[in-house]
Amino acid sequence: MNILLTGGAGYIGSHTTVLLMQAGLHVCVLDNFCNSEQIVLERIARITGKPPSFVEADVCNTSVVADALKRYEVQAVIHFAGLKAVGGSVTQPINYYANNVQGTISLLQAMQSSGVKTLVFSSSATVYGNPQYLPIDESHPTSATNPYGRTKLHIEEMLTDVSRSDPAWRIACLRYFNPVGAHESGLIGENPRGVPNNLMPLVAQVASGLRPYVQVFGNDYSTSDGTGVRDYIHVMDLAEGHLAALQYLQKNVGWHGFNLGTGKGRSVLEMIRAFESASGQAVPFKVVPRRVGDVAACYAKANKACELLGWSAKRDLASMCESTWNFRINAKEQ
Ligand code: NAD
Ligand code: UD1
């Protein structure tokens, strides 16, 4: 089977590329490197023994995407390409709508003109807005609290309309909770530019001495230890979720939304402690006021993916922390 991965050089895309190649699928990565680097493709080749096919392009360039679909005889697309910083989306909403929403429209036009009607889309738990109940199942009402979240919601709604318009489409929206961790080789992982926005890359940088301490955003939430609770999921489990979704779409038409999470909530302090024992390093922290827009707790009900996709997260918290640390050490040495 031939698969196009837009944004396949990025954090989640690169891990999924490795997994799909090792499962015997032919992968073509399409990326413009706006948030990744060419070296990732070499690292993928070191892990898998050969590089994926590659097209350097912006997903907004419909004719180039259509050419790639035809040239590589693509049967299904996984659409990772998108901008993902919540803060950036508040200050630059036009960029976010242009890249995420317009990018998806462009991809859909290319797919339609090429007769490719199978799509797995990188959605996010952000489409649930502020949780109204926990754990969050797929029937939880959707809403958005920032422009990034609104792009994901708009795209999901567009994809629902596309599926309604033509029953031949097969679409899975995978709503990721909090992806963390890295490939066991230590060659690929999350490598954010500048100061990381997310907890785990920051914890890893503090453990390695790059930054003095983690700012813990609030310890007065109504959670077990007062700090924020999230559903952290190993990126390789997430990658496996994409393979399971592709297999599901072979047998099922229509639009389908799935949570990809572990179903387990972990607090910020739990994550820091787990990282300390995985790395053997101290992770100093200071409690500071809550971050605007944060919620106390957010975790998935992951039963639907288990029942329909036959997928569930298998890797534990220690593995998430150890692989993050392994990648951090490797990245420093190379
Ligand atoms: P990432 O930034 O590491 O990867 C995205 C990749 O897409 C990068 O390689 C980037 O260069 C590429 N890209 C962006 N815009 C493009 C364009 N217009 N044309 C071609 N390539 C483009 O991000 P990630 O963490 O791997 O996330 C992948 C997807 O999953 C995104 O859509 C993101 O919104 C979604 N998601 C991520 C998280 C998370 O915490 N990482 C959570 C929920 C959803
Ligand atoms: C954030 C985004 C969310 C996005 C998700 C994907 C916000 C408000 N939300 O979610 O839209 O889908 O990333 O990765 O940005 N924390 C600290 N100190 C830090 C960083 C984080 O204490 O320096 C805490 C947060 O308060 C939260 C937890 O760690 O309780 C996780 O934070 P983060 O990694 O940013 O993820 P989310 O807030 O869940």
Side-chain angles (χ1 to χ4, degrees):
M1 195 177 185
N2 301 338
I3 317 286
L4 181 80
L5 268 61
T6 74
Y11 172 45
I12 304 167
S14 58
H15 291 79
T16 307
T17 298
V18 165
L19 185 94
L20 297 188
M21 288 176 73
Q22 289 180 333
L25 279 68
H26 181 266
V27 174
C28 175
V29 167
L30 183 144
D31 205 300
N32 65 359
F33 296 127
C34 70
N35 197 36
S36 54
E37 290 174 78
Q38 185 111 25
I39 195 168
V40 170
L41 300 174
E42 291 161 32
R43 303 253 171 107
I44 291 171
R46 276 175 66 186
I47 298 169
T48 64
K50 60 175 181 188
S53 300
F54 177 66
V55 177
E56 183 169 351
D58 193 311
V59 75
C60 294
N61 190 335
T62 313
S63 61
V64 173
V65 178
D67 283 351
L69 293 172
K70 286 186 198 110
R71 185 159 15 118
Y72 294 102
E73 298 178 11
V74 168
Q75 286 133 314
V77 177
I78 307 182
H79 183 35
F80 295 103
L83 302 177
K84 63 169 182 176
V86 173
S89 79
V90 174
T91 54
Q92 298 172 2
I94 300 169
N95 278 356
Y96 272 69
Y97 286 109
N99 202 75
N100 294 6
V101 180
Q102 181 56 41
T104 305
I105 294 171
S106 164
L107 171 66
L108 290 168
Q109 288 170 328
M111 290 176 72
Q112 190 165 46
S113 71
S114 317
V116 180
K117 295 189 173 176
T118 301
L119 175 66
V120 176
F121 171 62
S122 291
S123 189
S124 166
T126 193
V127 299
Y128 295 120
N130 292 325
Q132 295 178 16
Y133 57 83
L134 292 167
I136 298 180
D137 60 17
E138 287 83 354
S139 311
H140 185 287
T142 52
S143 66
T145 55
N146 54 65
Y148 165 70
R150 238 176 314 279
T151 67
K152 292 291 176 194
L153 206 49
H154 284 336
I155 294 166
E156 282 210 1
E157 288 166 351
M158 270 173 11
L159 295 177
T160 314
D161 288 337
V162 168
S163 154
R164 284 198 191 116
S165 73
D166 174 357
W169 279 88
R170 298 159 188 263
I171 298 173
C173 288
L174 303 183
R175 296 167 175 171
Y176 313 153
F177 279 69
N178 291 58
V180 296
H183 189 262
E184 60 182 5
S185 63
L187 288 170
I188 55 172
E190 188 170 16
N191 204 3
R193 293 175 179 170
V195 183
N197 298 313
N198 295 118
L199 179 67
M200 282 302 268
L202 200 91
V203 168
Q205 291 191 359
V206 171
S208 67
L210 192 66
R211 298 185 195 282
Y213 58 88
V214 176
Q215 292 189 321
V216 173
F217 296 142
N219 65 353
D220 55 354
Y221 287 108
S222 56
T223 58
S224 57
D225 61 20
T227 64
V229 165
R230 298 290 184 274
D231 187 339
Y232 298 92
I233 176 168
H234 197 298
V235 67
M236 289 308 296
D237 278 325
L238 209 57
E240 287 170 3
H242 292 76
L243 181 57
L246 282 175
Q247 288 163 345
Y248 181 78
L249 293 180
Q250 297 299 296
K251 300 192 195 100
N252 296 278
V253 294
W255 183 99
H256 311 271
F258 293 104
N259 286 344
L260 293 189
T262 64
K264 210 170 162 38
R266 314 269 190 184
S267 75
V268 175
L269 296 184
E270 236 181 299
M271 296 305 287
I272 290 177
R273 277 194 295 270
F275 205 88
E276 286 184 326
S277 44
S279 64
Q281 307 294 315
V283 178
F285 66 86
K286 285 187 187 168
V287 177
V288 299
R290 293 178 177 191
R291 182 170 65 180
V292 176
D294 268 356
V295 297
C298 178
Y299 50 93
K301 184 164 184 186
N303 300 39
K304 185 177 174 189
C306 183
E307 282 157 22
L308 297 185
L309 304 183
W311 169 93
S312 57
K314 295 185 181 60
R315 294 160 180 87
D316 62 11
L317 181 54
S319 163
M320 298 179 209
C321 295
E322 280 156 17
S323 60
T324 304
W325 181 240
N326 189 27
F327 174 66
R328 176 87 211 135
I329 297 293
N330 255 3
K332 261 175 84 175
E333 284 168 358
Q334 284 170 11

